């Protein structure tokens, strides 16, 4: 059998009611994520990938099925599953340092230990010198670096990222992807990442699950055997391009289905 | 002429900014225009002073009010009543509004009642409150309270509802318990909006106090105004109205300054 999976998603269904109509968002998804693995869920918009991540986070209840973290059933949000959203989540009344400290303070950790951890993560995400800045003074990329540092400083068992770079421009996005791989290669946290960007999914992950258009199911699983540490130059390597072609073909089919769904 | 029109057109681009110098000049020009028309009508003898006294007359009347009739005391009395009613409304209304915006159960319990009462004009309660509470300060403060409280609760509830859901969810994923989400996220996130609400409400409170003092009072700005009317001192009436305007503007600026001082982190 080998080691126990870190995260198990078992036969999860999600039905939303909208104006009296029932909409099947997720249909029977099962997957397993290994310890210290970087896994991405790739899917067209509206496929339910964010909903799946929210179910793992405990922010949305599945209609059927369970999620287990280290064998324990997830029943609500908790600090063992850190989350980074696409937008709006830094606390604007707290400085960079206080934002990163937020979870540590809740845990009642000793002050000096808190300071130490905060400093460590500020350096990891390259925000030295911005400790006292308010979120309004930061660029979009810097805000997301704080959000990632804040989630990681809390030392979660798994880090969940919901299109965290979706609102950034292409250049910043690329830099943030590199930063995230560096942080991951350094800490080896188990990460579950959600995106609709094929290149992003391949560049970051060990394994990519491609989802279908609504109702969301797992369509394919792609191993990404690219060596680590990774850098941006690999995006133009032959191996990368072949993986990209493979994933693009899969996701294109689904994107076309998704547009047809909307017409109906 | 053609070029003048073209230049004029340049200053009327929808929502585009204009130079700060032009902005300031136009602000002054607006005020100056009103003063000019007022002066022209009165000093030019087009209108009887009984209906509209000249600016100089109004200032004189005001000066007299201060020196001979103890207008300072009236201002202090009105300010005291406004602040007392407003503070009581705020102390009770802010927590209730926050609870209402946070918990659907509280909203369901309170909203229909408050939504109904807030459409009743505060001034319509004056006869009732005189009957219940007499014509002293308590009655005036009660009017202010009724005029402010119900609006305030609803507006604070809207502020609390406006806190982004993701912010609350992030707090949960960082290990916050329910009470911590309220204390450490909902409350601080709502504070700037609450202060804005208080600023708007205190402006309304100033309008209610005058109505309350016009009906039955022995002191206050409204009392001075109604007295001046009985003696046909039009200048004093206008002066009284202007003083209320000035007090309103001072309160407004005090709140704006407080906002900037307390919440330097707010995105503008």
């Amino acid at each position: 059998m080998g080691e126990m999976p870190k995260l198990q998603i078992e036969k999860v269904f999600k039905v939303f009611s909208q104006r009296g109509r029932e909409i099947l968002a997720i249909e029977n998804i099962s997957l397993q994520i290994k310890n210290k693995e970087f896994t991405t869920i790739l899917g067209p918009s509206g496929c339910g990938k964010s909903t799946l991540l929210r179910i793992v986070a405990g922010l949305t209840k599945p209609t059927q099925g369970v999620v287990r973290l280290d064998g324990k059933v997830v029943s609500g949000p908790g600090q063992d599953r850190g989350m980074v959203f696409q937008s709006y989540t830094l606390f604007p009344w707290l400085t960079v340092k206080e934002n990163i400290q937020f979870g540590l303070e809740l845990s009642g950790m000793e002050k000096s230990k808190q300071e130490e951890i905060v400093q460590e993560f500020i350096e990891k995400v390259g925000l030295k010198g911005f400790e006292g800045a308010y979120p309004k003074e930061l660029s979009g990329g810097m805000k997301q670096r704080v959000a990632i540092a804040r989630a990681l400083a809390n030392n979660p068992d798994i880090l969940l990222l919901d299109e965290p770079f979706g609102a950034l421009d292409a250049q910043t996005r690329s830099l943030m992807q590199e930063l995230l791989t560096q942080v991951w290669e350094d800490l080896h946290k188990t990460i579950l990442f959600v995106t609709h960007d094929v290149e992003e999914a391949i560049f970051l992950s060990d394994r990519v699950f491609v989802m279908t258009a609504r109702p969301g199911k797992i369509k394919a699983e792609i191993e990404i055997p690219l060596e680590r540490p990774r850098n941006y130059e690999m995006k133009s390597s032959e191996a990368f391009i072949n993986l990209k072609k493979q994933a693009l073909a899969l996701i294109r089919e689904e994107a076309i289905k998704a547009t047809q769904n909307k017409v109906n | 002429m053609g070029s003048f029109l073209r230049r004029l057109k340049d200053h009327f681009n929808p929502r585009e900014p204009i130079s700060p110098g032009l902005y300031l000049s136009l602000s002054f020009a607006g005020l100056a225009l009103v003063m000019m028309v007022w002066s022209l009508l009165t000093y030019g003898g087009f209108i009887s002073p009984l209906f509209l006294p000249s600016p100089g007359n109004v200032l004189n009347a005001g000066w007299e009010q201060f020196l001979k009739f103890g207008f300072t005391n009236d201002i202090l009395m009105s300010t005291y009543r406004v602040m007392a009613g407003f503070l009581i409304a705020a102390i009770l209304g802010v927590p209730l509004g926050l609870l209402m915006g946070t918990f659907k159960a509280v909203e369901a319990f309170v909203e229909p009642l408050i939504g109904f009462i807030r459409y009743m004009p505060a001034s319509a309660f004056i006869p009732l409150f005189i009957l219940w509470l007499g014509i002293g300060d308590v009655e005036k403060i009660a009017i202010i309270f009724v005029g402010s409280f119900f609006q305030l609760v609803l507006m604070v509830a809207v502020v609390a509802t406006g806190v982004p859901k993701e912010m609350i969810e992030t707090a949960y994923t960082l290990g916050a318990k329910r009470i911590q989400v309220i204390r450490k996220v909902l409350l601080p996130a709502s504070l700037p909006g609450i202060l804005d609400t208080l600023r708007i409400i205190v402006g309304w409170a100033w309008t209610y106090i005058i109505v309350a003092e016009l009906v039955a009072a022995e002191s206050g700005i409204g009392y001075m105004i109604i007295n001046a009317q009985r003696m046909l001192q039009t200048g004093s009436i206008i002066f009284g109205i202007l003083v209320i305007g000035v007090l309103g503007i001072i309160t407004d600026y005090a709140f704006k300054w407080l906002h900037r001082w307390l919440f330097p982190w707010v995105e503008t």
Side-chain angles (χ1 to χ4, degrees):
Chain A
M1 260 310 277
E3 62 179 321
M4 188 173 79
K6 186 75 178 171
L7 185 82
Q8 295 166 278
I9 298 176
E10 291 171 11
K11 297 181 183 135
V12 164
F13 288 74
K14 181 66 191 178
V15 179
F16 287 110
S17 320
Q18 228 174 40
R19 290 189 226 103
R21 276 178 52 197
E22 305 234 299
I23 294 168
L24 183 59
I26 291 176
E27 187 179 356
N28 198 13
I29 287 188
S30 295
L31 57 89
Q32 303 192 335
I33 287 162
K34 291 186 215 112
N35 195 21
K36 300 181 177 178
E37 190 181 32
F38 196 127
T39 309
T40 293
I41 296 174
L42 173 68
S45 59
C47 75
K49 56 191 189 295
S50 290
T51 305
L52 185 63
L53 198 72
R54 290 177 57 86
I55 288 173
V56 174
L59 295 169
T60 299
K61 293 225 178 307
T63 311
Q64 247 185 68
V66 285
V67 173
R68 287 177 212 273
L69 181 70
D70 289 322
K72 266 173 47 194
V73 173
V74 164
S75 60
Q79 58 96 47
D80 52 346
R81 283 149 294 135
M83 179 106 175
V84 178
F85 293 87
Q86 184 174 338
S87 61
Y88 295 126
T89 67
L90 289 192
F91 304 120
W93 58 94
L94 299 180
T95 60
V96 166
K97 176 174 167 281
E98 290 163 340
N99 261 289
I100 299 175
Q101 205 167 354
F102 188 86
L104 302 174
E105 219 168 66
L106 292 175
S107 74
M109 179 188 285
E110 206 183 307
K111 265 272 182 299
S112 62
K113 184 88 182 124
Q114 287 181 27
E115 301 279 337
E116 199 180 301
I117 295 174
V118 169
Q119 208 49 48
E120 180 194 334
F121 280 93
I122 280 179
E123 277 166 37
K124 271 202 197 343
V125 298
L127 281 172
K128 216 165 166 5
F130 290 93
E131 290 88 343
Y134 285 113
K136 74 163 181 180
E137 299 165 89
L138 306 179
S139 68
M142 287 161 98
K143 281 182 194 169
Q144 287 310 69
R145 280 192 260 168
V146 179
I148 291 170
R150 179 176 61 181
L152 283 173
N154 224 19
N155 195 22
D157 292 324
I158 183 170
L159 182 63
L160 311 170
L161 299 110
D162 188 6
E163 306 221 28
F165 312 141
L168 304 178
D169 64 81
Q171 283 74 35
T172 311
R173 196 180 171 116
S174 176
L175 291 174
M176 290 294 292
Q177 290 165 2
E178 283 192 85
L179 179 94
L180 185 61
T181 43
Q182 279 160 21
V183 170
W184 182 83
E185 280 155 13
D186 177 17
L187 294 171
H188 278 283
K189 272 273 161 238
T190 313
I191 290 186
L192 184 55
F193 191 98
V194 158
T195 185
H196 63 265
D197 182 329
V198 172
E199 195 174 280
E200 181 167 88
I202 295 169
F203 180 70
L204 292 171
S205 321
D206 298 319
R207 214 146 48 104
V208 176
F209 288 99
V210 182
M211 269 178 84
T212 64
R214 200 165 63 206
K217 286 171 285 202
I218 299 296
K219 182 185 175 85
E221 184 185 334
I222 308 174
E223 291 281 341
I224 309 294
L226 300 173
E227 66 193 45
R228 294 193 183 262
R230 293 181 187 170
N231 59 59
Y232 74 98
E233 285 166 338
M234 297 172 87
K235 287 185 183 174
S236 48
S237 73
E238 208 189 315
F240 192 95
I241 289 168
N242 284 336
L243 286 165
K244 197 170 151 183
K245 273 185 197 157
Q246 189 189 341
L248 266 175
L250 290 166
I251 194 118
R252 201 180 130 79
E253 269 175 42
E254 296 308 319
I256 291 168
K257 271 190 219 160
T259 52
Q260 284 163 349
N261 273 349
K262 272 179 196 138
V263 174
N264 296 336
Chain B
M1 195 62 192
S3 85
F4 172 74
L5 278 179
R6 218 172 309 122
R7 274 181 40 209
L8 195 65
K9 247 170 66 185
D10 284 347
H11 297 307
F12 284 90
N13 285 322
R15 312 207 40 186
E16 287 302 311
I18 54 173
S19 76
L22 182 64
Y23 196 98
L24 204 66
S25 322
L26 284 173
S27 302
F28 272 109
L31 280 174
L33 183 71
V34 173
M35 289 305 289
M36 257 168 56
V37 173
W38 183 8
S39 299
L40 198 75
L41 288 175
T42 51
Y43 291 123
F46 295 104
I47 288 187
S48 152
L50 180 62
F51 295 113
L52 184 65
S54 65
N57 259 334
V58 168
L59 279 181
N60 269 335
W63 189 239
E64 238 179 37
Q65 282 293 337
F66 276 118
L67 287 187
K68 293 191 193 154
F69 303 105
F71 190 44
T72 315
N73 184 52
D74 286 320
I75 293 178
L76 289 177
M77 279 315 292
S78 292
T79 310
Y80 155 68
R81 290 164 184 159
V82 166
M83 288 305 155
F86 166 73
L87 283 178
I88 296 171
I91 289 167
L92 298 175
V94 169
L96 185 61
L98 278 172
L99 288 172
M100 197 176 146
T102 307
F103 298 110
K104 285 284 164 200
V106 179
E107 183 190 298
F109 185 71
V110 173
E111 156 107 60
L113 195 64
I114 288 185
F116 177 49
I117 298 176
R118 79 172 168 134
Y119 283 108
M120 307 176 182
S123 37
F125 283 88
I126 294 175
L128 192 63
F129 282 2
I130 291 179
L131 195 64
W132 288 348
L133 304 167
I135 58 165
D137 286 347
V138 178
E139 176 251 343
K140 309 282 177 292
I141 292 168
I143 301 289
I144 302 287
F145 177 80
V146 167
S148 320
F149 177 76
F150 300 99
Q151 303 284 350
L152 189 136
V153 170
L154 288 180
M155 286 167 76
V156 170
V158 169
V159 168
T161 318
V163 177
K165 190 101 194 282
E166 290 98 333
M167 224 182 248
I168 295 167
E169 291 177 336
T170 303
Y172 277 124
T173 62
L174 289 168
K177 303 271 169 293
R178 246 182 285 184
I179 185 80
Q180 290 168 320
V181 166
I182 294 170
R183 224 159 37 85
K184 296 192 160 225
V185 179
L186 274 163
L187 186 62
S190 302
L191 284 180
I194 290 174
L195 195 65
D196 268 333
T197 302
L198 292 179
R199 179 173 65 88
I200 293 164
I201 295 286
V202 82
W204 296 350
W206 271 110
T207 63
Y208 295 130
I209 187 63
I210 302 309
V211 180
E213 290 174 348
L214 284 178
V215 176
E218 286 149 344
S219 62
I221 302 173
Y223 166 77
M224 181 282 256
I225 290 175
I226 197 76
N227 246 2
Q229 187 232 359
R230 282 183 194 126
M231 293 171 218
L232 291 180
Q233 295 168 335
T234 319
S236 292
I237 297 179
I238 294 177
F239 186 77
I241 295 172
L242 290 177
V243 165
I244 298 161
V246 170
L247 288 171
I249 267 201
I250 291 175
T251 327
D252 201 66
Y253 270 87
F255 266 96
K256 280 185 180 160
W257 176 83
L258 194 66
H259 195 284
R260 236 171 296 155
W261 182 65
L262 284 175
F263 310 121
W265 50 266
V266 170
E267 207 130 4
T268 45

